[in-house]
Amino acid sequence: MGDKGLLGCPENLKTFRTVGYPINVWPKPTTFHWPHPQAIALSPNFIISAPGHRYLTPAVHRYVRQILTEHHRPLVTPILNLTSAQPLAALTVTIFDAAAPLTHGVNESYSLTIPCGGGAAVLKSETPWGAMRGLETFSQLVYSKPSRVACGLYIFDVPLFMHRGIMLDTSRNYYGVGDLMRLIRAISMNKLNVFHWHITDSHSFPLVVPSETEMAAKGAYGEDMKYTAADVKRVVEYGLEHGVRVVPEIDMPAHTGSWAEAYPEIITCANKFWWPAEAEWPDRLAAEPGTGQLNPLKPKTYEVVKNIIHDVVSMFPDQFYHAGADEVVPNCWKMDPSIQTFLSNNGTLSQILETFINSTLPYILSLNRTVVYWEDVLLDGDINVTASLLPPKNVILQSWNDGPNNTKRIVSAGYRAIVSSSDFYYLDCGHGDFTGNNSRYNQPPGTDQEKGGSWCGPFKTWQLIYNYDITYGLTEEESKLVLGGEVALWSEQADSTVMDSRIWPRASAMGEALWSGNRDERGKKRFAEATDRLNEWRYRMVTRGIGAEPIQPLWCIKNPGMCYTVHMI
């Protein structure tokens, strides 16, 4: 949960609502106090005065350019009196702890005051990263040509959850560095703060690892579909300039078929047909086409794995390292002779996974990282490790199955949780299945289409995402272990051509729910009130170069209230 820190939040301001205001901010601020809505002209020579800082200074320059040139024209023209005062000439930024690094739990709170009667607007924050959030808020209050800005207001803002992220898979399909930077820019403007980069999988290994160059040389889709160390540095630095942490994921021991191109001797069941003809689902070799799992019984496995982990940690400075550990499929391991021998001597597949975790987790911890695993490592029904091998102090579990039930299982076991429930937060759901010659699509008219061929269908609407309470069913103490959430875009049927529309504005919906909640001060879900605000915000994202998909016809915005299903209460 957020910390109000030194800035404070006056008690008598907590109940003000933004409903009905002519200009709004997304995500909705914790406190938005605008008793007499007005606007003031913005000086064409407007400046932002802020302390010098390696990452805040580029952000200040970026926001000055945007504020002076955006000239946003809202879909519904704000009815605001323009004060006769001299144009607003400056925004003064004050930071209390300029040395605070961008890390999990950093204070992102800020306060913003914009006067109507002259003088500078004032932005106060605990850290440079809170200042970036405040600069985004200020930019959304500027509109029209010539530019004017909302005035006579006070905002205090602090996020409910510290971890608010987007996971993107760049193994199934490749995304260029420019696409990743555009994603980071949109993450920042939505006040999200984590880009979880699922870099590798069974399908490709696009990351150039200096000590294991053959991995990308043989495992990438092509020479122009790799991420070099320079590319990673560019993405990480861009993230820091936007207040966005970049968390790498190198999934293992499953989802490693692409490793076999360089090291076939350490991969079991590589390049096999994933679901043998006439076999039952439990007898598959992988969760989807693309087979191969690391063999934890081979010493060479750890030589390669540790080289890769060492180099990835060197390239990515964030304190979190995502080590995957999801969807270990029994039959893939069972195909290997050495594993067959181990099992014939009364060994188990769970012991093999424990061998792998015991050999890799301490190494990652020795590199001063907190390890994130997918929930499977503890909760999988067939292959899992005992909790004693996963110290809660050093391990975070990310949930993706069974909605709030698995979140409950994680936190009740004492682990911190990141919520990515596929029932609510998977953005790829609802687009069918990518396998060919699939008989489920060859049915007579009138046949129930079930989930439309998508294992996690239907499509997750922004309303579904907005209304999900990630601490549902938890006690107060258990809720404290929920760090936040991530929406996820797996890329079997996505690449840069659809990235923006698959992610936005649905990720914006999660962004507000995790920043200031999805309920009003009466405790009622506010998704109806949020619709008009999200329409406007989506439109502004589009004008900023983010290809967010529409959520309603433009007619609905031009005819307020006509597209509701019930009367507003």
Side-chain angles (χ1 to χ4, degrees):
M1 294 294 180
D3 176 15
K4 292 182 174 59
L6 300 175
L7 302 179
C9 178
E11 291 296 322
N12 63 334
L13 296 181
K14 288 183 178 179
T15 60
F16 281 89
R17 304 173 68 194
T18 59
V19 178
Y21 285 160
I23 302 176
N24 285 287
V25 174
W26 194 279
K28 192 174 191 176
T30 307
T31 298
F32 195 129
H33 180 37
W34 198 10
H36 304 291
Q38 296 184 76
I40 187 171
L42 194 76
S43 170
N45 299 313
F46 175 80
I47 62 169
I48 297 176
S49 173
H53 183 273
R54 178 177 176 181
Y55 299 114
L56 179 59
T57 298
V60 166
H61 293 160
R62 182 174 71 248
Y63 275 107
V64 168
R65 289 193 300 271
Q66 178 173 289
I67 288 165
L68 289 175
T69 62
E70 187 173 26
H71 301 302
H72 177 67
R73 294 191 179 277
L75 292 170
V76 177
T77 302
I79 302 174
L80 281 172
N81 289 329
L82 187 65
T83 177
S84 59
Q86 290 294 311
L88 185 70
L91 170 65
T92 301
V93 180
T94 301
I95 298 171
F96 294 101
D97 182 9
L102 181 62
T103 188
H104 174 74
V106 71
N107 194 316
E108 295 174 275
S109 64
Y110 68 91
S111 67
L112 176 64
T113 305
I114 306 177
C116 283
V122 176
L123 171 61
K124 294 181 180 180
S125 63
E126 292 287 337
T127 68
W129 322 107
M132 290 184 191
R133 309 297 173 233
L135 290 171
E136 175 58 38
T137 292
F138 184 89
S139 77
Q140 291 184 33
L141 295 169
V142 179
Y143 68 101
S144 193
K145 186 176 184 179
S147 295
R148 53 188 63 181
V149 61
C151 70
L153 60 76
Y154 169 84
I155 290 173
F156 173 78
D157 221 358
V158 59
L160 287 171
F161 293 94
M162 292 293 96
H163 189 107
R164 309 176 307 280
I166 291 177
M167 191 230 72
L168 180 69
D169 157 30
T170 62
S171 170
R172 272 83 178 196
N173 277 308
Y174 176 81
Y175 296 75
V177 170
D179 302 313
L180 303 184
M181 293 170 71
R182 187 173 73 259
L183 176 61
I184 287 171
R185 187 162 60 89
I187 287 173
S188 179
M189 70 176 71
N190 281 274
K191 296 190 176 75
L192 300 169
N193 63 0
V194 175
F195 168 35
H196 169 179
W197 188 356
H198 182 94
I199 310 175
T200 67
D201 212 289
S202 279
H203 306 88
S204 74
F205 196 106
L207 181 66
V208 179
V209 181
S211 63
E212 296 287 354
T213 55
E214 288 295 286
M215 294 293 290
K218 295 182 177 179
Y221 282 134
E223 192 61 36
D224 58 346
M225 294 187 182
K226 297 177 182 177
Y227 302 109
T228 65
D231 292 332
V232 170
K233 183 176 182 180
R234 188 177 170 201
V235 170
V236 168
E237 286 291 303
Y238 195 77
L240 288 164
E241 290 177 4
H242 287 75
V244 175
R245 298 164 48 211
V246 182
V247 175
E249 180 187 354
I250 307 297
D251 204 353
M252 57 177 83
H255 291 279
T256 51
S258 59
W259 299 41
E261 301 303 314
Y263 291 105
E265 68 273 24
I266 66 173
I267 302 297
T268 64
C269 87
N271 300 312
K272 302 292 184 183
F273 189 75
W274 71 293
W275 189 0
E278 309 305 324
E280 297 295 321
W281 176 247
D283 296 326
R284 69 196 184 281
L285 298 179
E288 66 180 26
T291 60
Q293 297 178 174
L294 289 170
N295 187 340
L297 301 183
K298 299 270 189 174
K300 178 69 173 179
T301 296
Y302 301 105
E303 177 186 328
V304 176
V305 164
K306 289 181 179 180
N307 283 342
I308 290 172
I309 291 172
H310 178 272
D311 285 1
V312 172
V313 166
S314 298
M315 286 190 276
F316 291 87
D318 196 80
Q319 71 186 99
F320 285 10
Y321 178 95
H322 204 303
D326 62 315
E327 295 187 316
V328 178
V329 177
N331 276 354
C332 183
W333 270 350
K334 288 179 181 178
M335 289 190 71
D336 184 83
S338 64
I339 291 178
Q340 291 170 8
T341 300
F342 180 85
L343 296 177
S344 68
N345 290 322
N346 297 318
T348 68
L349 294 178
S350 288
Q351 288 174 337
I352 293 175
L353 180 59
E354 288 182 347
T355 297
F356 183 80
I357 298 299
N358 264 334
S359 300
T360 54
L361 176 57
Y363 180 68
I364 304 171
L365 298 182
S366 75
L367 299 175
N368 196 30
R369 291 295 185 269
T370 297
V371 179
V372 185
Y373 289 118
W374 292 106
E375 61 182 22
D376 310 45
V377 72
L378 182 70
L379 302 184
D380 186 85
D382 296 318
I383 304 175
N384 55 59
V385 306
T386 59
S388 61
L389 300 181
L390 303 171
K393 178 182 177 183
N394 306 113
V395 170
I396 296 165
L397 297 180
Q398 186 162 2
S399 69
W400 65 281
N401 275 305
D402 205 19
N405 295 326
N406 276 8
T407 303
K408 178 81 170 180
R409 293 174 68 189
I410 289 167
V411 297
S412 63
Y415 291 95
R416 291 165 290 171
I418 296 169
V419 177
S420 292
S421 169
S422 58
D423 292 340
F424 299 90
Y425 281 178
Y426 270 28
L427 303 181
D428 54 302
C429 298
H431 290 274
D433 185 271
F434 72 98
T435 54
N437 73 317
N438 193 325
S439 60
R440 77 177 70 188
Y441 298 114
N442 183 27
Q443 303 292 340
T447 302
D448 183 1
Q449 296 185 34
E450 297 177 338
K451 296 180 178 180
S454 171
W455 74 269
C456 57
F459 180 87
K460 312 308 176 189
T461 66
W462 78 263
Q463 296 99 322
L464 184 76
I465 292 169
Y466 189 88
N467 286 326
Y468 185 44
D469 295 318
I470 63 173
T471 59
Y472 179 82
L474 305 183
T475 67
E476 185 176 345
E477 285 303 307
E478 289 171 340
S479 295
K480 293 177 182 177
L481 291 172
V482 177
L483 303 183
E486 293 178 0
V487 289
L489 181 60
W490 300 100
S491 294
E492 286 88 346
Q493 296 172 291
D495 61 14
S496 59
T497 63
V498 299
M499 179 185 77
D500 286 10
S501 59
R502 292 280 170 88
I503 294 176
W504 309 107
R506 291 187 291 163
S508 305
M510 184 196 71
E512 178 161 296
L514 299 188
W515 181 274
S516 57
N518 56 17
R519 298 173 186 270
D520 62 23
E521 72 281 354
R522 298 171 298 169
K524 292 184 177 294
K525 292 282 182 75
R526 63 186 186 199
F527 60 98
E529 173 267 324
T531 304
D532 292 341
R533 293 190 293 107
L534 186 56
N535 266 320
E536 181 62 51
W537 175 235
R538 175 263 168 186
Y539 173 65
R540 190 158 193 158
M541 279 197 290
V542 170
T543 64
R544 290 180 174 185
I546 307 301
E549 68 179 1
I551 64 170
Q552 282 186 324
L554 188 58
W555 183 88
C556 296
I557 300 125
K558 298 294 187 181
N559 294 271
M562 295 294 282
C563 290
Y564 290 111
T565 58
V566 295
H567 294 292
M568 288 289 288
I569 299 174

